[in-house]
Amino acid sequence: MKILLINPFTEGRIVYGGLSPFSPFLPPLGLCYLASFLEKNGYAVKILDLNILSNINIIDSINLFDPDIIGVTSTTVAFNSAKKLLQIIKTSFPDKITVLGGPHISVLPSEAMAECPDIDIGVIGEGEVTFCELSNAISNKHDLGLCKGIIFRKNNTTVRTGSMPLIDNLDILPLPARHLLNDFNKYHHHFLRGGKKISSMITSRGCPYACTFCDQTVFGREVRGHSPGYICEEIKMLKRDFNIDFISFEDDSFNYSSKRLRNICQEIIKENLNIFWGCSIRIDTIDREDVQLMKRAGCNKIYIGIETLNNRIRKLINKQTEDSLLMEKIKIVRDFDIKINASFMIGFPTETEKEIAETIDRAIRLPVDGEIFCLYTPYPGTPLRKLAKENGVVSSDWNTYSNHLSTNAFYPNNIDVKILNKLLFSAYKKFYFSFKFLRKNCYNTRILRQLIKYLLRERLKSAY
């Protein structure tokens, strides 16, 4: 059997809103993991990333490869794009079996099937084992009801099967099939999170924390991680096959275990991999020995989600890091000359304009190297979505489910979204046109050109 996996094209302005000039293009690692697992189990697999191959004729590509199954992945913000793609596929190839996976259908399986009649089968949650068993069932004409972790159509209704257990040992997964991606050189990150020749990596799944704005339906709250040996083998492959010199670890929390973090760093040092890298961490749990070892292993950037600097909102989102501890940890990281990029979120349900201003004013004074300001987005499956519905209007247009400038999915009762957008825009302007930032980055003409292009463009000026 042949399986075609597709990452649907989604416009940068939809995913990144007013920040689209900085939009990254990252490899669809979820599809790469899925493809390598299917290849390991004897299937012929092809990946089409339509964000890179935007001019491709999808009908011709399907005719040429002639797959038995067509799998599409989708986040919430990409769901409208996925629907259009599936409609095109089903119109031209009504007999092809279409499968949708990814975060959106995992959170809203019945709703997604009802909204998109062109989905034959939905994969719910972690996809590798489920998709492989599903493919085996289709190949052998077995009853789909025996496959765990799916939803499918039967007799004009949908049938949902029991949950598929999460993969306990991630090292059973082959290295992601990046070799199936077209023109790997086209992938890049935004300027805060990358080097010249960069690749993203994911070394763990799940998040042990319980932030109320975040959903963990796909990978759960129990964290599972690749071994240090597996991680180093992937880094070696990236250097050898793709000439990569910077790794962006995209784990929810790279330091969920201090012991594992240190083991990874020690393995990188032992293997003499000579690679620079960055990662997202919970800064409140880091210590000096961790940071020292990270630096020795090549870490030169960290990304921290502070979200808010207002105590009431900290309790609301269940992310309570005291100011004194935050500053203490930032100082430790700066002592080792590792760049710090921090992210913040505004527009939470019940959050006042005064509380937002407090976060912004304090954020721009923090001793960090870069900042991202996001809009609160009431993603399906998150605890805070209920409170959002009680305190405003929650959008039913999935295209608005980004969290960047001018992509409003939540209209709070107490603040006009125009004011929210102005506050967000002003936060970027205050930080990136500050004397502190410009002095530090005067040598980096690439960053400055991007900033000027973004902040001084006429369309943004006219919007505010």
Side-chain angles (χ1 to χ4, degrees), residues 3-71:
I3 299 172
L4 177 63
L5 302 176
I6 306 177
N7 188 30
F9 169 73
T10 309
E11 291 183 56
R13 64 175 183 81
I14 292 175
V15 182
Y16 297 99
L19 297 180
S20 57
F22 300 120
S23 60
F25 287 100
L26 297 181
L29 287 183
L31 292 186
C32 292
Y33 271 110
L34 184 57
S36 63
F37 193 76
L38 289 168
E39 283 189 326
K40 179 183 177 181
N41 283 274
Y43 290 96
V45 187
K46 184 174 183 177
I47 296 176
L48 292 179
D49 184 356
L50 301 186
N51 288 301
I52 295 298
L53 304 169
S54 55
N55 296 321
I56 196 171
N57 186 308
I58 190 67
I59 304 302
D60 289 346
S61 296
I62 293 173
N63 273 321
L64 186 63
F65 187 56
D66 191 25
D68 301 281
I69 301 172
I70 300 175

Side-chain angles (χ1 to χ4, degrees), residues 362-389:
R362 295 176 63 194
I364 61 178
R365 293 198 298 269
L366 286 176
V368 297
D369 301 282
E371 293 187 345
I372 294 176
F373 297 89
C374 301
L375 289 167
Y376 162 71
T377 301
Y379 289 108
T382 58
L384 208 55
R385 185 176 171 91
K386 182 175 182 291
L387 186 65
K389 289 182 175 180

Side-chain angles (χ1 to χ4, degrees), residues 315-370:
K315 292 178 182 178
L316 179 72
I317 65 176
N318 194 32
K319 197 162 187 178
Q320 302 178 50
T321 303
E322 295 297 325
D323 291 346
S324 57
L325 180 62
L326 177 64
M327 294 306 297
E328 174 192 332
K329 301 297 186 179
I330 287 176
K331 184 181 183 305
I332 290 173
V333 175
R334 295 197 68 82
D335 284 346
F336 290 93
D337 195 29
I338 295 175
K339 291 187 181 298
I340 305 172
N341 297 301
S343 63
F344 302 88
M345 197 175 295
I346 70 169
F348 291 106
T350 76
E351 188 175 26
T352 66
E353 187 174 345
K354 182 178 179 181
E355 289 169 328
I356 292 171
E358 177 188 355
T359 285
I360 292 173
D361 289 344
R362 295 176 63 194
I364 61 178
R365 293 198 298 269
L366 286 176
V368 297
D369 301 282

Side-chain angles (χ1 to χ4, degrees), residues 348-350 387-393 410-416:
F348 291 106
T350 76
L387 186 65
K389 289 182 175 180
E390 294 170 355
N391 290 271
V393 176
F410 174 54
Y411 292 75
N413 290 334
N414 59 329
I415 306 177
D416 190 290

Side-chain angles (χ1 to χ4, degrees), residues 424-438:
L424 200 66
F425 181 71
S426 70
Y428 277 110
K429 190 164 61 172
K430 287 176 182 177
F431 183 85
Y432 286 102
F433 273 134
S434 67
F435 176 73
K436 176 182 71 172
F437 181 85
L438 293 174

Side-chain angles (χ1 to χ4, degrees), residues 104-163:
H104 188 74
I105 197 166
S106 295
V107 178
L108 299 173
S110 298
E111 294 87 341
M113 295 290 282
E115 193 175 337
C116 182
D118 301 301
I119 305 168
D120 292 325
I121 306 167
V123 170
I124 301 168
E126 199 168 49
E128 290 87 358
V129 175
T130 299
F131 202 113
C132 191
E133 290 193 2
L134 167 64
S135 301
N136 291 341
I138 293 171
S139 177
N140 296 304
K141 296 181 170 53
H142 289 168
D143 181 6
L144 291 181
L146 300 177
C147 295
K148 292 182 179 179
I150 66 170
I151 184 169
F152 65 98
R153 301 187 192 279
K154 184 177 182 180
N155 299 329
N156 297 318
T157 187
T158 56
V159 177
R160 181 172 176 178
T161 64
S163 299

